[in-house]
Amino acid sequence: MAVKKESFAGQSGINYEAIAQSASFRGLVQAKKRFIIPATIFFFVFYFALPVLTSYSKALNAPAAGPVSWAWLFAFAQFVMTWALCILYSKRAAQFDKIVEQVKQEAQEGGNV
């Protein structure tokens, strides 16, 4: 069975290769990488710090406030951190959307759409 070479891009008249090579699209990809990669690394380090610290050290076993240990506060902080990252990403996504609109506008003006 032969695979048809023509894709949806060929049928729609959109030159996706030209869009992918444009400076604004490459800027969008770089901006997203500059945010997503550090945020992901921070999330994983913060998330896995709790089980690692509670398993291999006594640092979080000390009482923080009455009978509540630092481990419980750290666990609660993970919920706060998750919400904070979601809010931060939502705000940053609005900036990404502006760049996407710019890329689309440039593609339309260039006759790619």
Side-chain angles (χ1 to χ4, degrees):
M1 180 175 184
V3 177
K4 191 174 181 180
K5 272 291 213 188
E6 188 174 334
S7 67
F8 178 71
Q11 296 172 358
S12 67
I14 299 172
N15 188 351
Y16 289 109
E17 292 173 5
I19 293 171
Q21 296 300 321
S22 70
S24 56
F25 182 79
R26 285 186 277 128
L28 170 67
V29 171
Q30 287 301 316
K32 288 180 85 171
K33 281 183 183 178
R34 278 193 308 270
F35 175 76
I36 291 172
I37 291 173
T40 302
I41 292 169
F42 171 75
F43 174 81
F44 279 121
V45 168
F46 195 85
Y47 180 79
F48 285 111
L50 178 63
V52 169
L53 288 174
T54 56
S55 297
Y56 299 108
S57 82
K58 305 271 186 220
L60 298 178
N61 292 342
V68 179
S69 70
W70 285 106
W72 283 103
L73 291 179
F74 194 97
F76 177 73
Q78 288 186 341
F79 288 100
V80 174
M81 181 265 310
T82 302
W83 278 99
L85 282 178
C86 288
I87 291 167
L88 192 61
Y89 179 76
S90 295
K91 290 182 180 190
R92 190 61 67 96
Q95 294 173 358
F96 297 151
D97 290 344
K98 290 177 186 175
I99 301 171
V100 168
E101 290 303 319
Q102 177 185 353
V103 170
K104 287 169 49 178
Q105 183 67 28
E106 289 174 6
Q108 287 175 344
E109 290 171 359
N112 294 327
V113 177

